[in-house]
Amino acid sequence: MTDIKALGTVVPALSSTSELTRDDLHAAEKLKSAYKSLCDQLGRVIVGQEQVIEELLIALFSRGHCILEGVPGLAKTLMISSLSRCLSLDFSRIQFTPDLMPSDITGTEVIEENRSTGMREFKFINGPLFANMILADEINRTPPKTQAALLEAMQERQVTVGRIRHKLSDPFFVLATQNPIEQEGTYPLPEAQQDRFMFKIFVNYPTFKDEFEIARRTTTSTSAEISPVLTGDQILELQRLVRRVPVTDHVLHYTLALVRQTRLNQPGAPKFIKEWLSWGAGPRAVQNLVLGGKARALLFGRTHVQTEDIQALALPVLRHRILTNFTAASEGITTDKVIERLLQETPSKEGELTKDERFKKIFAA
């Protein structure tokens, strides 16, 4: 197991001009080493999907949740369960179905007789949400009231049964899966609920080389063993470290420029945004881009955020926070294509944003 030294007392979050302490720099080196070990361990079971694994770990260390979308058979469940073993976390899988009730995932109260007093009293029985890592399989197949119960757990890190609130343990990480093929009889997540997820990650088909390796590995009697890399307490310390990574005003300006351009009524918004979108991203997109950028910088051995970190995370952060209209659908324009064009038309070099008249309007609004 990777040795991560305790960081001691938690210090307040640093401003954009602050520097990390010596202990923080030491922990950052350990995080980079742990990331490599995690990728090595997962590589024993999962073939390819490096980008998916990277985004999952960034979300984990940023204290966020993810939606994974992909067709059946792409090892989404195996990837998540393997990750929980690498992190020594309690893992719980919930198969979402149309008849699933909120109490089926949160837990329920039962009447139990106290043998010492003979009195009957209520006792709360924990549901599958009381784990560190939750796989919400086929989340769009369950009714809205059950989705809302999961949403409370994600946002508040608690569940409410009756009038009693029950705290969930940290770290708490929800990974929800969706099948993009079958949509009949499903309950698509409303935009407000999707916004609670830090990333929406697309799990694509493997390359020829990866699929060849999958076929070779999975048709034999051998099985790979996974060793734990981090504990829950170490993950919590690293999550606090991510918050203390400094970020410059230039990177914040670049992040704001990307997000604010997606809003139709925003002064200075590009013409193609008004033509293709019916809804833009909110402030939570900015927060998740910055936090994800901090985590990505640490995973790649840097103690400061660069615009390339924001660019790398723009797709998973923004694709479920912007809504295309009928015009875009008729032209074959997806949210990913809109984001890619935004990245192309937004200057990333320091000083270019503040000189551009269009971006001056965006920042002044």
Side-chain angles (χ1 to χ4, degrees), residues 5-18:
K5 288 181 65 179
L7 300 180
T9 16
V10 180
V11 300
L14 299 181
S15 67
S16 60
T17 56
S18 301

Side-chain angles (χ1 to χ4, degrees), residues 60-73:
L60 172 69
F61 293 122
S62 303
R63 211 166 178 256
H65 310 286
C66 296
I67 303 177
L68 282 85
E69 186 172 295
V71 298

